[in-house]
Amino acid sequence: MTWEELKLSCESCKRCPLGDTRTKLVFGTGNRDAKLMFVGEAPGGEEDKTGIPFVGAAGKLFDKYLEAVGIGRDEVYIANILKCRPPKNRDPLPEEQDVCIDYLREQVRLIKPKMIVCLGRISAMRLISPDYRITREHGKWIKKGQYDMTAVYPPSLLPRDESRRDEMLADMMEVARRYNEMK
């Protein structure tokens, strides 16, 4: 499948009710040859308006972390498990993840990243392990298939729980260290 075919397939998707309620498809953005890919759980309100992942308040905070560790947003690819916003920003339902995960898998296949960083518990539970515990396991790296993977706190958590900001910075510094070694 090509990028254009994949995006068209996502745009016409009606596999779950979210396809009928979205304002815009939030397909993904960034460098299609990225060695580093970030995967969140689902778009929020600002993302639904713009069609771009991580552009709201949480996205702006995420950009600050990228900048702090010297990674340009233009170097990475950013996507979500879901391509459509769940109502009221609720957690994605398992059945929504089930119908949308193949789109993400196809993005990963096309990009061929070396590293995948899950942004939060939901993406870590889906991509790393169903029993993943973000408070215990964030920043720990595993090799899964051909990918080095880890999870960090979701940027949306940090304004509500400032105590996690230092841990997020430490985790992102390790992401940057590993990324720079691989470049």
Side-chain angles (χ1 to χ4, degrees), residues 6-61:
L6 179 59
K7 190 167 186 188
L8 282 172
S9 181
C10 286
E11 286 172 339
S12 63
C13 181
K14 301 292 183 193
R15 294 182 190 174
C16 79
L18 297 181
D20 293 326
T21 60
R22 71 173 178 234
T23 303
K24 286 197 175 178
L25 172 75
V26 184
F27 182 68
T29 190
N31 184 340
R32 291 182 177 178
D33 295 316
K35 300 294 180 230
L36 173 57
M37 184 173 183
F38 289 93
V39 179
E41 61 184 49
E46 286 301 311
E47 291 77 14
D48 186 50
K49 290 177 191 170
T50 64
I52 304 168
F54 290 91
V55 294
K60 288 179 182 19
L61 185 56

Side-chain angles (χ1 to χ4, degrees), residues 4-167:
E4 293 73 27
E5 291 167 336
L6 179 59
K7 190 167 186 188
L8 282 172
S9 181
C10 286
E11 286 172 339
S12 63
C13 181
K14 301 292 183 193
R15 294 182 190 174
C16 79
L18 297 181
D20 293 326
T21 60
R22 71 173 178 234
T23 303
K24 286 197 175 178
L25 172 75
V26 184
F27 182 68
T29 190
N31 184 340
R32 291 182 177 178
D33 295 316
K35 300 294 180 230
L36 173 57
M37 184 173 183
F38 289 93
V39 179
E41 61 184 49
E46 286 301 311
E47 291 77 14
D48 186 50
K49 290 177 191 170
T50 64
I52 304 168
F54 290 91
V55 294
K60 288 179 182 19
L61 185 56
F62 178 59
D63 287 346
K64 288 180 182 179
Y65 278 95
L66 287 174
E67 185 179 324
V69 300
I71 299 173
R73 192 170 169 131
D74 60 334
E75 296 175 57
V76 303
Y77 195 86
I78 304 169
N80 286 300
I81 293 172
L82 297 192
K83 308 305 182 197
C84 302
R85 178 186 183 212
K88 300 179 184 170
N89 293 337
R90 66 157 165 72
D91 285 351
L93 301 174
E95 55 269 22
E96 293 164 346
Q97 294 177 49
D98 290 346
V99 297
C100 218
I101 194 70
D102 287 337
Y103 295 130
L104 178 65
R105 286 186 181 125
E106 193 64 20
Q107 286 174 304
V108 170
R109 186 191 68 75
L110 288 166
I111 294 165
K112 300 177 187 78
K114 301 286 187 217
M115 297 168 54
I116 298 175
V117 178
C118 298
L119 296 169
R121 167 184 60 89
I122 303 254
S123 59
M125 289 174 69
R126 190 63 196 222
L127 300 180
I128 297 175
S129 170
D131 61 350
Y132 194 91
R133 298 295 174 253
I134 193 82
T135 53
R136 263 197 334 249
E137 300 175 82
H138 69 89
K140 292 181 181 174
W141 289 84
I142 67 154
K143 184 81 169 172
K144 191 167 183 182
Q146 61 205 35
Y147 310 108
D148 290 326
M149 299 182 74
T150 192
V152 299
Y153 289 114
S156 59
L157 170 72
L158 302 172
R160 298 187 312 266
D161 188 351
E162 291 186 17
S163 69
R164 304 288 184 196
R165 287 184 178 194
D166 288 343
E167 292 172 279

